[in-house]
Amino acid sequence: MVKSSDVVLILVAIIFPPAAAAFVAGCSCDLLINICLTILGYFPGHIHAFWLIYKKMQAEERYGQGGFVYAGSGQYHPINNQAYPTAPGYGAVHQG
């Protein structure tokens, strides 16, 4: 589910991708990667920023608002160590 904060983040990514990467990942190697990609070509910086935003939205759906920490490289980990249910794959058969 897309929230208004995600829409603002996407608009920031369209205008200046490293700013969006900094908002999502903080001062990490992802910010440096995004700066380099934006310098090499404006379009690769956009792709990387949108990918970071997408991964953040996935973590919010899986762990809930504020229930995760950023681990780097687009990976998020839950704050508490609860087991979160995952959706079964398509064509999965329960053999029980």
Side-chain angles (χ1 to χ4, degrees), residues 17-18 33-48:
I33 290 169
N34 194 277
I35 290 170
C36 291
L37 287 172
T38 303
I39 290 171
L40 290 175
Y42 202 60
F43 190 65
H46 278 99
I47 293 172
H48 184 254

Side-chain angles (χ1 to χ4, degrees), residues 38-94:
T38 303
I39 290 171
L40 290 175
Y42 202 60
F43 190 65
H46 278 99
I47 293 172
H48 184 254
F50 291 142
W51 178 74
L52 288 173
I53 294 168
Y54 171 72
K55 296 299 274 185
K56 179 183 145 307
M57 289 170 59
Q58 276 187 332
E60 285 178 347
E61 288 178 6
R62 175 176 280 167
Y63 305 124
Q65 176 100 16
F68 55 89
V69 293
Y70 184 69
S73 299
Q75 300 294 317
Y76 290 89
H77 298 294
I79 290 176
N80 51 11
N81 292 325
Q82 291 179 338
Y84 291 92
T86 58
Y90 290 105
V93 179
H94 177 66

